[in-house]
């Protein structure tokens, strides 16, 4: 079962920052927070992941609260192409060769960017 | 770098017929996943391979679904016989996990199956 809670839908104006919240109050100490998104008729696309420090890459920023019970994905300048379903997932990331954990997807947040 | 390839993109069959889906992962990726995504839901893992061995098939309906990954590269997923509730998008993903690399999963475009 998914271990995260996300709003069902959100709207954001083009050019503004989109802030997508995620609650993961039962997260364990060795679990990372992952974000994927799925644009219509495409497979999910990896965005970013983090453990406890804030992370930033070319796509987005991830802000994780100090108690790690929630996080926010930030798309700094949303475009129409960012319209998608965004999934927040918690999982262990093995750093040794010992197989990989499956992704357990919830319902995600349907983000609509409006012109 | 080429992404995960899947075929066909769309398939329409009648219930009780058989169907097969094919996946070619990113070159060098040891781990391959098949997910089922029913309309309006997030993807659900069906089976996970590491090289040509099965790691997790606990959610695979084994009475009708089968999958193989011969030679640890391409994979096929088969449904026989299909039921109406099998209508879904079947997604293939791969990662470097198991070969010393990142376990970030990269997904293909999926095969949309409609069972009539």
């Amino acid at each position: 079962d998914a271990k995260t809670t996300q709003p069902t839908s959100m709207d954001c104006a083009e050019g503004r920052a989109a802030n997508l919240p995620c609650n993961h109050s039962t997260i364990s100490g060795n679990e990372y927070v992952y974000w994927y998104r799925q644009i219509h008729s495409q497979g999910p696309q990896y965005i970013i992941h983090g453990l406890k420090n804030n992370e930033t890459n070319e796509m987005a920023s991830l802000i994780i609260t100090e108690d790690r019970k929630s996080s926010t994905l930030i798309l700094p300048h949303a475009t129409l192409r960012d319209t998608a379903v965004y999934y927040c997932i918690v999982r262990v990331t093995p750093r040794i060769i010992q197989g990989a954990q499956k992704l357990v997807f919830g319902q995600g947040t349907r983000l609509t960017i409006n012109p | 770098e080429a992404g995960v390839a899947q075929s066909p993109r769309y398939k329409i069959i009648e219930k009780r017929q058989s169907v097969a889906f094919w996946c070619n992962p990113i070159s060098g990726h040891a781990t391959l996943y098949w997910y089922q995504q029913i309309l309006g839901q997030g993807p659900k893992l069906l089976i996970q391979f590491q090289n040509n061995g099965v790691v997790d098939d606990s959610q695979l309906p084994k009475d009708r679904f089968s999958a193989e990954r011969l030679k640890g590269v391409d994979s096929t997923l088969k449904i026989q016989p299909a039921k109406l509730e099998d209508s879904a998008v079947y997604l293939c993903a791969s990662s470097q996990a198991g070969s010393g690399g990142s376990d970030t999963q990269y997904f293909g475009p999926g095969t949309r199956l409609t069972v009539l």
Side-chain angles (χ1 to χ4, degrees):
Chain A
D1 292 335
K3 301 179 182 179
T4 63
T5 303
Q6 300 177 252
T8 302
S9 63
M10 293 182 62
D11 285 88
C12 179
E14 187 178 18
R16 305 296 295 270
N19 298 289
L20 292 91
C22 178
N23 286 322
H24 31 79
S25 57
T26 61
I27 192 169
S28 301
N30 61 351
E31 287 184 313
Y32 287 67
V33 180
Y34 276 73
W35 284 84
Y36 278 75
R37 73 179 182 183
Q38 189 171 23
I39 296 170
H40 183 62
S41 296
Q42 297 184 21
Q45 175 191 26
Y46 166 79
I47 302 173
I48 197 168
H49 74 281
L51 182 62
K52 54 184 177 181
N53 297 319
N54 298 338
E55 302 287 345
T56 296
N57 63 19
E58 65 278 5
M59 291 183 68
S61 295
L62 174 61
I63 308 298
I64 303 173
T65 58
E66 192 168 343
D67 63 7
R68 302 206 327 119
K69 292 185 176 182
S70 66
S71 60
T72 301
L73 178 74
I74 301 172
L75 307 178
H77 304 287
T79 71
L80 298 179
R81 287 174 293 187
D82 292 322
T83 292
V85 177
Y86 286 76
Y87 296 100
C88 172
I89 300 165
V90 296
R91 63 191 285 255
V92 174
T93 295
R95 293 200 176 273
I96 59 174
I97 303 175
Q98 194 57 41
Q101 283 208 344
K102 63 186 178 186
L103 295 171
V104 179
F105 290 84
Q107 297 285 88
T109 295
R110 183 172 298 278
L111 175 67
T112 302
I113 306 300
N114 300 307
Chain B
E1 176 181 87
V4 176
Q6 291 189 247
S7 67
R9 289 298 311 277
Y10 305 92
K11 188 73 176 178
I12 300 174
I13 62 173
E14 295 187 349
K15 60 183 179 184
R16 291 188 290 273
Q17 287 188 322
S18 302
V19 65
F21 314 125
W22 173 80
C23 172
N24 181 230
I26 294 173
S27 178
H29 280 197
T31 303
L32 184 147
Y33 315 77
W34 283 102
Y35 289 83
Q36 179 193 57
Q37 185 172 25
I38 293 171
L39 186 65
Q41 300 180 17
K44 181 187 77 172
L45 181 76
L46 291 175
I47 188 168
Q48 175 184 336
F49 293 93
Q50 184 167 317
N51 297 308
N52 60 352
V54 175
V55 174
D56 183 353
D57 64 355
S58 58
Q59 299 298 307
L60 187 74
K62 298 179 186 64
D63 58 334
R64 298 184 299 107
F65 286 65
S66 64
E68 60 182 9
R69 190 183 185 198
L70 300 176
K71 301 180 181 178
V73 182
D74 293 4
S75 177
T76 56
L77 176 69
K78 297 179 181 178
I79 308 175
Q80 179 179 11
K83 292 185 175 181
L84 297 177
E85 59 261 37
D86 298 332
S87 292
V89 175
Y90 291 85
L91 294 159
C92 179
S94 70
S95 77
Q96 291 180 313
S99 55
S102 163
D103 71 337
T104 298
Q105 294 183 29
Y106 297 88
F107 286 79
T111 296
R112 182 177 297 277
L113 173 67
T114 301
V115 182
L116 302 175

